[in-house]
Amino acid sequence: MKKECIAMLLAGGQGSRLYVLTENMAKPAVAFGGKFRIIDFPLSNCSNAGIDTVGVLTQYRPLELNAYIGSGQPWDLDRNDGGVHILPPYQSATGASWYKGTANAIYQNIGFVDMYDPDYVVVLSGDHIYKMDYADMVERHKAAGTACTISVMEVPWSDASRFGIMSVDENDTITEFAEKPKEPKSNLASMGIYVFTWSKMREYLIADENDPNSDNDFGKNVIPAMLGSGEKMVAYRFAGYWKDVGTLDSLWDANMDMLATGSGLDLLERDWPIYGRSTSAPPAFLGKGSHVEHSVITRGCTVEGKAENSVLSENSVVEEGADVEYSILMPGAVVKKGAKVNYAIIGENAVIGENAVVGAAPDGSEGWGISVVGPETAIPTGFTLAAKHMIDSGMKEVAR
Amino acid sequence: MNGLHGIIFSYEKEPGLRELVERRMPGSIPFGGRYRVVDFMLSNMQNAGITDVGVVLHGNYQSLLDHVGNGKTWDMSRKYGGLRILPPFADSHRHHSEEYRGKMEALAGVRSYLEEIRQDYVVLADSDLIINIPLAEVYRSHVLSGADITCVCRQDYQSTENATFFELGADNRILKTLCSPKKPTGYHCLEIYILSKELLLRLVDECAAEEKYSLRRDVLNGMSGSLNLRGYVWNGRAAQIRTVQEYFDKSMGLLEPAVYRDLCAAGRPIRAKEDDEAPTYIAPESSCVNSLVADGCIIEGTVENSILFPGVTVKKGAVVKNSILFKHTVVEEDARISFVIADKYVLVRKGETLAGNASYPMAISKNSVV
């Protein structure tokens, strides 16, 4: 059945800069904000924008992600016509190959896209936290009659050299693209969200595949090639909350942004809901001696101790006398009696033993940073994990 | 296990529940912060591996329909079988414009559905019983005992009106069935029954032919001579809710961690329709203790000994004590409420004070502005 527009969601990345958190799962499956996973954001955006056909390109450790997406029902994407499709690399008559890059991942699924014969394809990443109406971007793409529309946002000039930077003319037509430029000519950063006219995109994907020197990456190869050939490309300005949560610090920051009024990240707003696969846990229970302030808390949590400035995910537990501050407890994490957790990310189902100490408040020193406990890790009673240290489920220190 | 079929009854009006049943049947009363009462029985059935369930309805059942939907929540949206909603059928010989007088009459009202049941055994249960019981075990014990009907009962004497009590003999054989006795004695019947489909159909026809409608009076009592009736004694928790007071007391009981664990967080999960709310935010300088809090709430004031359903807002300076606030209730700045049950979308205005009493909680109807 023909669709005007479908989405391709790149969810295959390992997310190596999340270290222990992605040991057993792909980055888009990492928990976020108490009851979500990162991939809930692009999937919910698609659902809210009326895009009912989404291909999810998976590669690295897809078990968790596949199980989570399932039939797509939580996002209303279980459809007879369209819906969500998981697209792993596959074997064909000419051999088998992994996805070599973002562009190659879609190249290998040209057959899937052709099945829906779309006019436009939206390309999304599985590691961004934001609410965005892709339908509006597609409208803009149509109206401008371009080959490609790239969503951009203004970043501080001092940060511009960390991004793919677009130079535009007065109509926001892109004149130049520079990947992480030393001396940026603009502060419009690419958000890695693209709308392509499928016929054009198809052409360039095939050309890119035939170029042995290409890294088969959208940002590095396909976009510059299109620009170089004189295709009309337009920037779509986005002004809302957006964060790439590819690093431990940015993941921690984005979680904390849920608490900061004025950060722009308001998940309690009901006009653009973020959906997630639910667990059957009962409501959160805050005990007689509990003290919870400036925190988010969700179903299945039990708090008997103290939690401040923290994100408590599904089924996490803070026992009596335990103290959690400026931290993220991922689903099922348990902080035992008398333990202290400060400026830390505690992975799924990790247990912080009695009177253990994880992380420390910033002391202005060079070596300070967020402490991280990997999923399923059992920190023994009385153990101390210093600031910026990271430990995996085998109780092995991991350097970063 | 595919041998057991579920039938859930939701037709009895319970006037004792006052405001809480103004717009709904007892089975769809919100309970425990995120559930509807009927979620317990549907989940019990799901946890016992039951895939086919018929819900016998009469009365104001729109709210119940909205809640159970197609049964997806309990994995009962199936190609074959699954959840079936059974309002009175037009083919039944009586025109059911009035409430069913008893279970046998309700079953006769859906006679053609009963015939199509694919399983050999049927479990009958009420939609307004709060319990987390392993029905698979009750079923096993029914089959092993060779009883005609197994009735789940419990040694409690809560003051439920219109209750049924059993006197049990050796091997838990039911010797006597007492209908609404003045002084409760023996075992309180929890209205969960297991019997074979074949017997069920025979009893429905026999009762219909003689204009009999009551399961307890006409079957348990009236046919006790010819049927092998056994009690299954349940020692766990259970609550039938028939009055606002009972509702309040049983809800508040959940604040005891052991009760909450046994009912809601046992190895057998209770599933409820997804509310798609973001996590709850608890603001600086607020306080929230000894309370159950669902998702989507914003707490800026003080909350104590209370149960908050999804999307409740407690503004700065507001004090909520010993209260139950249904979905999307808003308590504005400096309002104070205690011993209140606020139905959905209630707005308590700035500075207002509302107080019920532990022995007479105040129930506020849906959409009220106070």
Side-chain angles (χ1 to χ4, degrees):
Chain A
M1 178 81 87
K2 180 175 172 64
K3 297 272 178 191
E4 189 193 19
C5 177
I6 72 167
M8 297 295 272
L9 174 46
L10 301 162
Q14 176 183 356
S16 54
R17 287 171 305 154
L18 290 180
Y19 299 91
V20 293
L21 298 180
T22 51
E23 206 176 30
N24 288 310
M25 65 180 92
K27 180 160 60 170
V30 170
F32 180 84
K35 61 171 283 200
F36 303 107
R37 308 249 159 201
I38 296 169
I39 198 166
D40 286 335
F41 288 81
L43 285 177
S44 299
N45 287 339
C46 282
S47 182
N48 290 333
I51 296 175
D52 64 7
T53 306
V54 183
V56 181
L57 300 132
T58 62
Q59 177 155 286
Y60 175 81
R61 290 244 177 217
L63 175 64
E64 193 100 7
L65 196 57
N66 292 353
Y68 187 72
I69 294 171
S71 66
Q73 192 264 336
W75 307 272
D76 210 9
L77 290 172
D78 55 333
R79 306 292 181 98
N80 287 329
D81 176 19
V84 65
H85 300 253
I86 306 258
L87 303 171
Y90 56 88
Q91 196 170 31
S92 66
T94 51
S97 83
W98 296 105
Y99 293 150
K100 291 176 283 178
T102 51
N104 174 258
I106 296 187
Y107 169 82
Q108 290 202 36
N109 286 288
I110 285 179
F112 168 79
V113 181
D114 279 345
M115 200 163 79
Y116 290 102
D117 187 23
D119 299 326
Y120 311 105
V121 173
V122 183
V123 176
L124 304 168
S125 291
D127 49 6
H128 300 162
I129 302 298
Y130 64 119
K131 293 177 172 185
M132 183 174 177
D133 185 358
Y134 305 138
D136 189 59
M137 185 171 166
V138 172
E139 281 309 312
R140 156 109 184 139
H141 176 89
K142 271 158 79 173
T146 60
C148 173
T149 300
I150 301 177
S151 152
V152 297
M153 64 189 295
E154 286 185 27
V155 294
W157 281 95
S158 55
D159 286 353
S161 56
R162 290 171 38 220
F163 292 92
I165 292 295
M166 307 282 164
S167 301
V168 296
D169 67 10
E170 66 281 4
N171 298 318
D172 278 347
T173 302
I174 298 167
T175 54
E176 206 183 320
F177 173 77
E179 183 72 29
K180 300 191 176 113
K182 275 217 170 65
E183 280 166 32
K185 291 184 191 161
S186 143
N187 67 337
L188 289 181
S190 166
M191 296 159 64
I193 299 162
Y194 313 101
V195 176
F196 289 96
T197 296
W198 174 236
S199 54
K200 284 280 177 202
M201 184 191 192
R202 205 175 184 284
E203 246 172 64
Y204 280 92
L205 285 178
I206 294 169
D208 178 68
E209 186 63 20
N210 291 333
D211 175 1
N213 297 320
S214 174
D215 288 331
N216 309 114
D217 183 88
F218 275 105
K220 262 191 252 166
N221 310 105
V222 177
I223 303 295
M226 289 179 88
L227 207 54
S229 310
E231 295 290 351
K232 188 178 177 196
M233 298 166 82
V234 163
Y236 173 82
R237 289 172 188 261
F238 179 75
Y241 182 90
W242 177 86
K243 193 159 246 159
D244 178 330
V245 287
T247 66
L248 292 168
D249 286 342
S250 64
L251 181 67
W252 184 86
D253 277 346
N255 272 280
M256 289 300 147
D257 284 339
M258 284 182 71
L259 304 176
T261 44
S263 72
L265 179 63
D266 184 0
L267 300 181
L268 285 160
E269 259 177 359
R270 296 206 166 81
D271 59 339
W272 194 267
I274 301 301
Y275 306 103
R277 186 171 289 281
S278 69
T279 65
S280 55
F285 178 70
L286 290 88
K288 282 198 176 78
S290 71
H291 175 86
V292 181
E293 250 191 81
H294 198 33
S295 295
V296 298
I297 179 164
T298 188
R299 56 184 60 167
C301 289
T302 306
V303 185
E304 299 279 3
K306 184 174 154 191
E308 276 184 24
N309 305 295
S310 293
V311 173
L312 274 50
S313 306
E314 289 174 332
N315 299 317
S316 59
V317 177
V318 180
E319 292 190 356
E320 217 178 316
D323 185 351
V324 177
E325 289 183 45
Y326 294 96
S327 295
I328 301 156
L329 302 188
M330 290 201 164
V334 177
V335 182
K336 294 272 193 192
K337 283 192 177 75
K340 291 202 174 356
V341 175
N342 217 339
Y343 288 86
I345 300 175
I346 310 299
E348 289 186 38
N349 302 319
V351 178
I352 310 301
E354 283 183 26
N355 302 316
V357 177
V358 173
D363 53 8
S365 71
E366 280 273 305
W368 183 86
I370 301 294
S371 303
V372 182
V373 174
E376 317 291 336
T377 306
I379 299 281
T381 302
F383 189 86
T384 298
L385 185 70
K388 211 179 177 176
H389 282 247
M390 181 158 50
I391 204 156
D392 70 9
S393 57
M395 284 300 287
K396 236 179 37 237
E397 282 254 9
V398 179
R400 75 179 209 252
Chain B
M1 182 184 66
N2 197 29
L4 197 54
H5 184 99
I7 298 275
I8 295 179
F9 296 99
S10 175
Y11 63 85
E12 269 179 286
K13 300 193 182 78
E14 298 293 348
L17 286 164
R18 303 193 326 241
E19 290 84 351
L20 302 180
V21 288
E22 259 173 24
R23 295 165 202 241
R24 56 171 83 88
M25 298 301 290
S28 63
I29 292 182
F31 184 80
R34 77 167 285 220
Y35 309 101
R36 300 296 183 122
V37 174
V38 72
D39 290 340
F40 286 83
M41 197 48 73
L42 282 166
S43 300
N44 285 326
M45 290 187 175
Q46 182 193 12
N47 293 334
I50 298 176
T51 58
D52 297 4
V53 173
V55 182
V56 180
L57 294 168
H58 199 286
N60 189 0
Y61 50 73
Q62 149 106 58
S63 144
L64 193 75
L65 289 186
D66 282 351
H67 183 68
V68 300
N70 60 3
K72 180 101 198 159
T73 305
W74 305 275
D75 275 345
M76 289 176 193
S77 166
R78 297 294 183 97
K79 195 160 186 165
Y80 299 107
L83 187 85
R84 287 286 178 277
I85 299 293
L86 308 170
F89 293 171
D91 66 346
S92 58
H93 65 283
R94 263 171 57 96
H95 289 287
H96 289 291
S97 47
E98 319 124 57
E99 193 181 327
Y100 291 129
R101 290 171 295 172
K103 289 197 168 70
M104 296 316 288
E105 187 170 81
L107 289 165
V110 297
R111 174 71 170 72
S112 56
Y113 172 82
L114 302 180
E115 246 169 279
E116 301 297 317
I117 287 176
R118 304 184 291 166
Q119 292 80 11
D120 294 336
Y121 291 90
V122 179
V123 54
L124 309 176
D126 283 348
S127 62
D128 62 351
L129 178 67
I130 294 162
I131 192 168
N132 189 334
I133 184 174
L135 287 178
E137 234 167 78
V138 184
Y139 170 55
R140 244 190 312 278
S141 120
H142 172 77
V143 174
L144 281 177
S145 74
D148 291 319
I149 306 180
T150 295
C151 314
V152 178
C153 55
R154 179 169 178 264
Q155 218 161 10
D156 73 46
Y157 304 107
Q158 57 170 351
S159 64
T160 306
E161 281 173 51
N162 200 22
T164 309
F165 282 83
F166 298 129
E167 198 178 295
L168 298 185
D171 293 340
N172 288 338
R173 226 183 138 125
I174 296 178
L175 303 176
K176 216 175 188 180
T177 303
L178 305 162
C179 303
S180 319
K182 271 260 166 322
K183 219 174 148 248
T185 139
Y187 292 82
H188 180 193
C189 167
L190 295 178
E191 315 273 353
I192 299 174
Y193 308 95
I194 294 183
L195 68 172
S196 70
K197 173 193 168 186
E198 194 194 334
L199 177 63
L200 179 71
L201 281 172
R202 180 160 70 79
L203 294 173
V204 167
D205 291 343
E206 280 180 30
C207 286
E210 297 178 30
E211 286 280 338
K212 289 175 174 169
Y213 54 82
S214 164
L215 174 67
R216 61 178 186 177
R217 188 191 65 201
D218 301 323
V219 176
L220 301 184
N221 228 338
M223 302 183 194
S224 63
S226 56
L227 292 174
N228 175 0
L229 305 175
R230 266 166 215 265
Y232 177 96
V233 180
W234 170 244
N235 295 315
R237 299 177 197 282
Q240 274 167 322
I241 287 173
R242 301 284 152 88
T243 65
V244 171
Q245 185 69 49
E246 275 173 0
Y247 175 80
F248 185 79
D249 293 344
K250 293 297 174 192
S251 295
M252 287 304 168
L254 288 175
L255 297 179
E256 195 57 57
V259 178
Y260 159 86
R261 255 198 313 275
D262 289 355
L263 277 175
C264 307
R268 300 178 297 271
I270 304 300
R271 290 186 167 79
K273 187 176 149 188
E274 175 55 41
D275 48 48
D276 284 320
E277 297 273 1
T280 280
Y281 173 61
I282 301 182
E285 290 161 40
S286 66
S287 158
C288 180
V289 294
N290 201 36
S291 295
L292 281 172
V293 182
D295 289 339
C297 298
I298 301 176
I299 301 175
E300 294 169 339
T302 300
V303 177
E304 225 179 277
N305 307 330
S306 294
I307 297 175
L308 272 47
F309 283 78
V312 167
T313 305
V314 178
K315 299 225 167 133
K316 247 194 159 71
V319 179
V320 174
K321 286 187 180 176
N322 307 307
S323 292
I324 301 167
L325 308 183
F326 289 4
K327 217 167 127 176
H328 294 262
T329 291
V330 177
V331 184
E332 288 190 339
E333 288 85 352
D334 304 315
R336 305 177 73 85
I337 62 175
S338 62
F339 296 104
V340 163
I341 303 168
D343 208 322
K344 289 160 77 174
Y345 301 97
V346 164
L347 172 65
V348 181
R349 288 225 188 266
K350 229 175 183 168
E352 291 292 337
T353 300
L354 293 177
N357 188 285
S359 61
Y360 197 86
M362 178 189 283
I364 302 173
S365 307
K366 190 173 163 181
N367 297 326
S368 302
V369 176
V370 193

